Amino acid sequence: MPIITWTDSFSVKVVEIDNQHKKLVEMINRLYEAMKVGKSKDVMGEILDNLITYTATHFKTEEKYFDLYHYPEKETHKAEHEKFVETVTKFKNDFESGNAIISIEVMNFLKEWLTNHINGSDKQYTKCFNDQGLK
């Protein structure tokens, strides 16, 4: 059973961003499944690396539209992105150095952050983007 199930309630009404969010949900679910069955450190590390890389790509997409459409909350939103990257990078570094494992606490952090971020901060830009014709 996945740790996150995508529903239309997560939609920010921008197809490109919704598709990226779905991919992030899928990646978190893959990491969760690997953790549950005790996959090797190499497999878990690869999934975590892919998640970090894809998250950076996703954040760049959102931030491109913040600049293009002069989104008024862009600095606050970018700060949330930076804090997430910092936290997940620390998880990765601790994991790679053997000081931590991918645990349910890490998975709950990823789940809560993503769902709260989408349903909170991300949904705030929907009107701005849609009003500019981005759907």
Side-chain angles (χ1 to χ4, degrees):
M1 180 161 199
I3 193 166
I4 306 173
T5 301
W6 178 269
T7 67
D8 286 340
S9 68
F10 289 123
S11 177
V12 297
K13 310 296 186 228
V14 176
V15 172
E16 178 182 16
I17 294 172
D18 282 346
N19 287 339
Q20 289 181 352
H21 285 158
K22 288 175 188 176
K23 179 78 171 167
L24 289 169
V25 165
E26 175 188 310
M27 294 175 96
I28 290 171
N29 285 333
R30 281 186 37 229
L31 185 61
Y32 177 65
E33 289 303 317
M35 181 207 71
K36 281 192 338 185
V37 298
K39 290 282 186 179
S40 73
K41 182 178 177 182
D42 291 343
V43 171
M44 300 268 297
E46 180 182 339
I47 295 169
L48 190 56
D49 284 344
N50 290 340
L51 176 62
I52 290 168
T53 300
Y54 193 77
T55 299
T57 299
H58 166 64
F59 288 165
K60 284 180 183 168
T61 298
E62 286 186 343
E63 292 170 9
K64 169 184 71 176
Y65 293 126
F66 294 166
D67 293 337
L68 185 63
Y69 299 125
H70 308 288
Y71 180 58
E73 298 299 319
K74 75 178 181 180
E75 295 306 321
T76 302
H77 202 118
K78 284 181 180 181
E80 288 181 31
H81 289 170
E82 290 167 9
K83 180 67 175 162
F84 178 81
V85 168
E86 179 183 306
T87 302
V88 174
T89 300
K90 183 179 181 331
F91 289 155
K92 177 182 178 271
N93 291 340
D94 288 348
F95 175 74
E96 288 179 346
S97 68
N99 294 329
I101 59 169
I102 303 296
S103 65
I104 196 65
E105 289 83 17
V106 171
M107 295 310 309
N108 282 336
F109 167 80
L110 293 171
K111 173 189 176 183
E112 295 302 315
W113 191 91
L114 185 63
T115 57
N116 291 336
H117 186 75
I118 291 171
N119 285 322
S121 301
D122 284 357
K123 286 205 174 180
Q124 291 177 8
Y125 60 60
T126 297
K127 181 173 175 17
C128 175
F129 290 2
N130 288 174
D131 286 353
Q132 298 290 328
L134 185 64
K135 296 187 188 209

